[in-house]
Amino acid sequence: MGKNKIGIKNFLPHRDPMLMVSYITHINDDSATGEFQIKNDCVFVKDDVLKEPGLIENAAQVSSAVVGQSFFEKGDLEGKTNNITGYISAIKKVTIHQLPKVGDTIVTRTKLVSRFDTEGVSICTIEGAIFNNDELIVACTLNFLIHEI
């Protein structure tokens, strides 16, 4: 794992074949960036391309890191305090310009638009953009419900 890369596997409830993020390369209170290398054994790959549901799931997993991190203890880079789950509550907008191929590494950038917190629950809206070789291939806006379990 690179110097500025955080393995996300311990921070999400997802496991292969549903884990759609390889690393988080940037994260702060209102944004996150993740990388995902597309392999031919990915459940959302068909005819050597990552299909639409895989792109949405990738955006959702990177997006959930923005709000989800507030549920972890400060400094926990191994996910030992993982006690949350989250759901896409609405897909407000998705524009897909291109489907990436096996072997491509996509970069997903997300930004928090709004957040409402109540006891152990966060409701939020996050915008996402997925790039392949610096070319925008997906733009989306997703709503989430994230809560402690």
Side-chain angles (χ1 to χ4, degrees), residues 99-111:
L99 300 175
K101 297 180 176 129
V102 169
D104 290 343
T105 297
I106 56 176
V107 175
T108 305
R109 295 184 180 106
T110 62
K111 181 158 182 51

Side-chain angles (χ1 to χ4, degrees), residues 1-40:
M1 183 167 13
K3 178 181 170 190
N4 295 318
K5 294 183 178 182
I6 300 170
I8 195 161
K9 187 174 186 177
N10 295 334
F11 295 93
L12 291 174
H14 304 79
R15 293 294 175 259
D16 290 329
M18 290 299 294
L19 189 60
M20 304 300 295
V21 182
S22 303
Y23 300 104
I24 293 294
T25 57
H26 158 81
I27 190 163
N28 64 28
D29 289 343
D30 67 353
S31 65
T33 302
E35 294 179 356
F36 180 59
Q37 183 181 24
I38 302 164
K39 298 181 180 176
N40 61 1

Side-chain angles (χ1 to χ4, degrees), residues 72-123:
F72 291 85
E73 291 180 15
K74 190 164 181 83
D76 179 4
L77 296 179
E78 296 180 15
K80 293 183 186 230
T81 58
N82 185 348
N83 63 348
I84 62 169
T85 192
Y87 312 93
I88 299 172
S89 59
I91 297 174
K92 295 178 84 172
K93 175 190 92 164
V94 175
T95 304
I96 298 175
H97 302 285
Q98 183 181 29
L99 300 175
K101 297 180 176 129
V102 169
D104 290 343
T105 297
I106 56 176
V107 175
T108 305
R109 295 184 180 106
T110 62
K111 181 158 182 51
L112 182 65
V113 175
S114 66
R115 177 177 179 171
F116 175 76
D117 293 328
T118 185
E119 211 168 305
V121 177
S122 286
I123 301 167

Side-chain angles (χ1 to χ4, degrees), residues 62-75:
V62 175
S63 294
S64 67
V66 175
V67 173
Q69 70 179 324
S70 64
F71 288 88
F72 291 85
E73 291 180 15
K74 190 164 181 83

Side-chain angles (χ1 to χ4, degrees), residues 52-64:
E52 295 85 346
L55 290 165
I56 294 168
E57 186 61 31
N58 166 266
Q61 289 181 21
V62 175
S63 294
S64 67

